[in-house]
Structure formats: C-alpha cells, structure tokens
Amino acid sequence: MKTLAVDIDNVLAASAESFIVISNKLFGDHITISDYNEDRQKMWCVDHKEAERRCEVLQANKYQKNYLPVYGAVQAINKLGKQYRLVLVTSRPKFAEELTKNWLKQHFDYNFGTIVFAGFWDNAKNSKDGHLRHKGDLFTQVGADIVIDDQLKHCEAAVETGIRTILFGDYAWNKANELLSGITRCIDWTEVIKELEIQ
Ligand SMILES: [Mg+2]
C-alpha cells in the first residue's frame, strides 16, 4: 500500500477562512482571505512582539477547535483510506496535538495512525523564521509516495526528493505561473480523487 502524506490546514481544515473570522473578532482588524499569510507578523502588519502576543491570545482561545472541514475532504479521505496508508504532516505546533486529534475524530471516520507535528513554531527561537521552514525531511521520514499540501515550499521540497506532489487549492498564497515538474495542482478534493484515479 502506498503512503499518502496529507497536510491539515487548508487541505483538510478550512483554516484560513475560519482563522480570519476569529482573528478579526479578537483584534478588531479587517483582514480578508487575500491577506492571509502563514507569516502572521506580515499578515497583521505588526512587530514581532505584538505578533507573539496575538498568537498567545489565539492559543488561549483554542481557535482551531471551531475550524470547518474543507468541502469534500471527509468523503475523499474515506475513499483514499481504502487504497492508501494515510499519514498527516502538519506545521501545527506540538501543543496543538490533543486539540487536533479531537478535531479529526469529530469530523473524520478514518483513523489516522501517524500524525507528524513539524514543530516549526514550537519555541521562541524557532518561531521567528518558522514560516521559512519546510517539511521535506518529514515527508521522507514518513515514507511518503505522494504528498498533498497547499504550500508551494512544501511541495517543492517534496519533489526535490523525488516525491510526487499535489498542490492543493487555488489560494492567494499558492499562486504560481509555472509549477515544477512533479507538482500537479488540484483545486479541490474532486480533482484530487480524479488525479489519483480513485473510483
Ligand atoms: Mg496547509
């Protein structure tokens, strides 16, 4: 059975849409989906200290708990789970593990055996350039044959190690004039199912 490494945020969870609503409410901003950026400091237009403070406020509010699944993700995972070994590789910090597992249980029937938390933001030293890190080594470690991720940098890191990659979604942050050979964009789960030739 081949191994499919799947991302969580903006692939299984409609994170950006949900995040913006929650963030605007907490901080009184008017950020839209086209402003969304994994580099929170840039997205909020604040200094590093303020970005850290806001991240703490968000965490205290357990903001990821109320994310909705991406349209079609639940059905697609059920189908894919019959033909692939599915592992999750997420940039979420280790402390979000319990919340993430509960969220997955709440929305998905599939029992994800392996969930890797990249830890790009796990401590203050890392958090400053967490957005620059990629999952390349982690994909290799979990033995991924195929990767599904919405971030170009992770897809590019995967194809560099010879892993076939699906760039998920048509988002403001993953626009590209040209994709590296080995990367195929699928704008939604229907396209993923077609691309992987699942019945
Ligand atoms: Mg993602």
Side-chain angles (χ1 to χ4, degrees), residues 7-11 38 91 135 149-151 154 173:
D7 179 30
I8 296 179
D9 289 304
N10 299 306
V11 174
E38 212 186 15
S91 305
K135 301 175 183 170
D149 205 291
D150 66 297
Q151 298 268 348
H154 301 316
W173 57 88

